[in-house]
Amino acid sequence: MQHANTLQQLGKVVGADGLITDSYQKAYYCKGFRVGHGDALAVVLPATLIQLWQALKVCQQNDVIILMQASNTGVTGGSTPHGDDYDRPVVIISTRKIKGVQVIDNAQQIVAFPGSTLTELEESLKPYGKEPHSVIGSSCIGASVVGGICNNSGGSLLQRGPAFTEKSLFARITDDGRLELVNHLGIDLGTEPEQMIARLESGDYATGTATDWEGKIWADDYASVIKDVDAVTPTRFNGNPQYLHDSAGCAGKVIVFAVRLATFDATPQEDTFYIGTNDEQVLLELRRYLIESLEQLPIQAEYIHRNAFRLTLRYARHMLLSIKRLGPSALPGLMQKKARWDARVKQLKLLPANTIDKLIQLGNRLTPSTISPRLLSWHRRYEHHLMIKVAHEEAAAMNRLLTAFFAERNGDWFHCTEAEQGDAFLVRFGVGACTVFYCDYYGINTDRRLIAFDVALRRNDEQWMIQLPPELQAQVLEGSCCGHFFCLVNHQDYILKPGVDGAAFKDAVLEYLDRRGAKYPAEHNIGHLYHASSEHEQHFHQLDPTNSCNPGIGKTSKKKHWA
């Protein structure tokens, strides 16, 4: 068997349980959460950082493509194989087993390993009264800390900005084909890779002594960026040269072993205000009014369109219920089990390929909603929904400002109870999956007919929604819109009608967005859906001169040495 020697060597590194070659076992790792799929020679699951290093050496020595994957929760297909036109075998290395968070410097900072999730990080910091950069809370579906850094993920916390650090430990393949481990953590770990890894894993190091400490570990200027409401540029976008540094924004072009990040004081009590209106201009006016009136930005300001709310309640109900009953940590395992059952059904060839999805949606139809009644009432009354979360001590000021603002404007608001606050943000973060579940149920090819736009609008934009011309709107079967409203980051999904040319539709919408001065993608990374900017591609070439790691990302070359 071709490549048998490679598989044998990998098996020696990770053991039989850490090497997957069976097609239906590989299925979960070879298909993106939303889009993208392809085959891989194998999926490798190292359990330690030293196993990761040894697996990388096998891949480098056998000239195979290294495709790093953390939680496989991305929405642009950037951590799965894409197509079958690679010039070398693809090996997926999943880091989901390499968990670990080290709390350092009196809980002012952390070091996170590649398999650690945001949920794990939150739980690690709670005893210290601290929070991480990104807080997804009860809606977390297992997103990884390192994946967020590699993708410059945006997040929803207004005072903390996109995921970013200049401090990481990563491996790369040099221009002459060597595998090297680069220590830019600002922590003295020694000089030999095995020694560095062993000391890091055991916590055998001191902080504050390394000579290369100078650097940023979070986007500490982001609040001032949002407050400049008259600027003609967006707040944030993937490929922004300001946030490209080593592993930050690398999109899998290096192999990250650890990142060093800041922590933040937890807010003891939070209050959420829920706003509804049928006029998007009212929301834009409110955004400017609050940003200019408040001394400190709110914690979050999240938008949901009525149709996104409807699709989430109908098609993502099982996900909302799972989070409520089992907690967010259970979701990755449930998703993995579903992928395996899907593969089994396909092997039988007696049932439709989406049989499991049809059963899930039947359950959704029969299961009553558990969402708070007042939110459901607002859903019926208003097209546009905005939830603003503030620290409890700032609730009175927000109450006064909203009372004054809506005294003469179309719309209404209420101060959420604790249960309503939980449900509101649960629905908001369930929106991202609703169109996927819709397509799965109806057997719609998400690569062809689910067109997603992740757009950073100008800070002075006078329009929030993407307004399609009639000829394009006529091609749309369903639409879903949500976003980080004060950042003016808009997430718009379109499910196209049968027979529509998805590529042509997307190109037409992107031309429209270009005319509006928007940048895209805003935070989901380029994946295999967007072209990398010249600055982003230059970053890739610098990190991975032989094009051995995640080739093809950002519609770049898949060929060795970028040929």
Side-chain angles (χ1 to χ4, degrees), residues 67 139 178 212 223 287 291 430 505 549:
L67 203 163
S139 63
R178 292 179 298 106
D212 65 341
R287 173 183 176 270
I291 290 175
F505 176 90
C549 298

Side-chain angles (χ1 to χ4, degrees), residues 479-496:
S480 169
C481 179
C482 64
H484 309 304
F485 192 68
F486 277 23
C487 305
L488 286 187
V489 168
N490 183 306
H491 301 313
Q492 175 70 60
D493 288 359
Y494 294 109
I495 301 172
L496 302 181

Side-chain angles (χ1 to χ4, degrees), residues 56 59-60 64-68 91 93 173 252 255 548-551:
L56 292 176
C59 291
Q60 178 262 335
V64 299
I65 287 170
I66 300 165
L67 203 163
M68 297 303 299
V91 170
I93 301 181
I173 295 178
I255 301 93
S548 297
C549 298
N550 207 9

